[in-house]
């Protein structure tokens, strides 16, 4: 059983918030569900129903949590953090790669500040701890109708999934080796309410930087957190594998890979990193 101060609780989160927008939906409400199919799906539904800017949707468990590339995101009760943030605006923020990189960075910083753990970032959306995946970002954009100013309303949903405590979770063997849990490495139990409020704060700061065109700072900081750059990687894009050296990210958040056939710019896809025994993880 979780100690009560570590249990997700909206009133505690809201009292800890240091934000102006995220978690402060004007005349709206943040949501905490015991069980939900997917917090991203709920936030996308809210977007269609005129949901409020900055709404946070949380669930203690998800029955149909979604990862990238159409995968499931295992979301048992009390094992993880399942959170989505609804951001609405009429001017495009940035492309989804850049938003995903920036959001990953915000979450990494929030974990570091609240638990002292050093998180690495693997292009494009993975949060890495001790060589394994401890979390991921699923950013989704939905175009709305044209508003009264002739601009297109855009809804951005930033979904965050973090593995906190394995507890009694039964994982398939292939996942067991790849997955990490924050509380296996943290010196004390993760205060989920503090973590949510810090994520909201870091996200708000980073989205403001993106909005004001200051992505250089974000990209430079992402490079410092990267566990990707300088590594030999295998990228899987659709059916194709691309092998090469991950050199850098460009201004759009694309990964630049030096391959036998020259430089390739990856905008999407998934990468694995070559280990010292020649296999990929
Ligand atoms: C990934 O594939 O690494 C991204 C995983 C994102 C999972 C989170 S959990 C909260 C939110 N709701 C979802 O259905 N997915 C995201």
């Amino acid at each position: 059983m979780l100690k009560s101060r570590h249990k997700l609780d909206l009133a505690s989160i809201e009292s800890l918030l240091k934000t102006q927008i995220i978690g402060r939906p004007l005349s709206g409400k943040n949501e905490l569900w015991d069980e939900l199919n997917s917090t991203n799906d709920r936030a996308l539904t809210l977007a269609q129903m005129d949901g409020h800017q900055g709404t946070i949707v949380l669930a203690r468990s998800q029955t149909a949590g979604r990862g990238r590339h159409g995968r499931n995101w295992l979301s048992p009760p009390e094992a993880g953090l399942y959170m989505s943030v609804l951001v609405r605006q009429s001017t495009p923020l940035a492309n989804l790669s850049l938003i995903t990189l920036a959001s990953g960075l915000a979450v990494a910083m929030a974990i570091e500040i609240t638990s002292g753990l050093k998180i690495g970032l693997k292009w494009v959306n993975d949060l890495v701890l001790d060589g394994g995946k401890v979390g991921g970002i699923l950013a989704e954009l939905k175009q709305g109708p044209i508003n009264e100013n002739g601009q297109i309303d855009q809804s951005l949903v930033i979904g965050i999934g973090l593995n906190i405590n394995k507890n009694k979770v039964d994982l398939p063997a292939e996942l067991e080796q790849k997955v990490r849990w924050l509380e296996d490495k943290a010196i004390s139990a993760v205060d989920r309410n503090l973590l949510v409020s810090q994520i909201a704060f870091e996200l708000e700061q980073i989205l403001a930087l993106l909005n004001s065109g200051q992505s250089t700072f974000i990209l430079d900081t992402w490079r410092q957190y990267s566990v990707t750059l300088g590594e030999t990687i295998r990228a899987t894009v659709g059916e194709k594998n691309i092998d090469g050296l991950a050199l850098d990210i460009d201004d759009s958040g694309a990964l630049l890979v030096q391959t036998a056939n020259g430089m390739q710019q990856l905008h999407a896809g998934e990468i694995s990193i070559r280990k010292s025994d020649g296999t990929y993880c």
Side-chain angles (χ1 to χ4, degrees):
M1 275 292 277
L2 281 177
K3 286 199 196 122
S4 61
R5 78 184 171 90
H6 296 134
K7 274 195 171 161
L8 275 181
D9 170 58
L10 267 192
S12 306
I13 293 167
E14 285 167 354
S15 72
L16 289 164
L17 282 176
K18 298 172 284 182
T19 52
Q20 308 282 322
I21 299 165
I22 296 183
R24 301 194 186 277
L26 274 184
S27 69
K29 279 196 176 86
N30 296 310
E31 297 188 353
L32 169 60
W33 297 75
D34 264 337
E35 188 183 275
L36 200 57
N37 51 359
S38 150
T39 56
N40 264 37
D41 287 352
R42 173 66 188 158
L44 287 166
T45 304
L46 287 177
Q48 277 176 331
M49 293 167 21
D50 232 18
H52 292 268
Q53 164 74 315
T55 305
I56 297 177
V57 180
L58 290 156
R60 296 197 173 93
S61 64
Q62 297 181 120
T63 51
R66 294 189 288 110
R68 291 183 77 239
H69 308 295
R71 295 207 187 95
N72 290 335
W73 186 261
L74 212 63
S75 314
E78 298 196 349
L81 181 72
Y82 320 116
M83 166 176 180
S84 300
V85 175
L86 173 61
V87 181
R88 315 191 72 140
Q89 55 186 53
S90 46
T91 48
L93 258 177
N95 69 65
L96 270 183
S97 293
L98 205 48
I99 292 169
T100 303
L101 289 181
S103 305
L105 180 58
V107 177
M109 288 170 150
I111 296 172
E112 204 166 304
I113 288 167
T114 53
S115 68
L117 292 171
K118 181 78 188 126
I119 302 294
L121 294 171
K122 183 174 148 201
W123 190 88
V124 57
N125 72 312
D126 284 2
L127 291 128
V128 174
L129 176 66
D130 190 28
K133 179 157 174 165
V134 74
I137 306 290
L138 179 64
E140 301 182 287
L141 260 182
K142 199 161 211 149
Q143 308 263 346
I146 296 180
N147 63 27
E148 64 271 19
N149 304 321
Q151 295 163 314
I152 296 177
D153 276 328
Q154 306 225 5
S155 294
L156 167 67
V157 169
I158 300 173
I160 299 153
L162 289 176
N163 306 324
I164 297 189
N165 191 322
K166 181 165 187 298
N167 210 358
K168 297 176 204 108
V169 180
D170 252 339
L171 284 180
E174 75 275 9
L175 272 187
E176 192 74 59
Q177 304 164 3
K178 293 186 183 166
V179 164
R180 297 292 180 276
W181 303 88
L182 287 177
E183 286 188 347
D184 283 348
K185 297 284 163 191
I187 49 170
S188 55
V190 171
D191 181 332
R192 289 151 164 82
N193 300 317
L194 188 63
L195 181 56
V196 169
S197 80
Q198 193 67 33
I199 289 174
F201 178 74
E202 301 297 337
L203 256 186
E204 186 164 302
Q205 304 288 311
I206 245 167
L207 293 178
L209 286 175
L210 266 188
N211 260 336
S212 59
Q214 297 181 67
S215 51
T216 312
F217 171 79
I218 297 172
L219 294 169
D220 282 345
T221 315
W222 190 92
R223 288 181 180 102
Q224 290 165 27
Y225 278 76
S226 156
V227 295
T228 308
L229 302 181
E231 298 291 334
T232 304
I233 60 132
R234 170 164 292 167
T236 312
V237 184
E239 301 286 288
K240 224 169 82 185
N241 281 339
I242 298 168
D243 291 315
L245 178 67
L247 277 187
D248 201 0
I249 42 171
D250 70 11
D251 291 351
S252 69
L255 185 66
L256 303 176
V257 185
Q258 183 70 59
T259 72
N261 303 320
M263 188 76 84
Q264 299 238 9
Q265 189 190 32
L266 301 184
H267 294 281
E270 193 170 24
I271 61 160
S272 44
I273 295 176
R274 194 172 72 175
K275 296 196 286 188
S276 50
D277 63 4
T279 60
Y280 286 85
C281 63

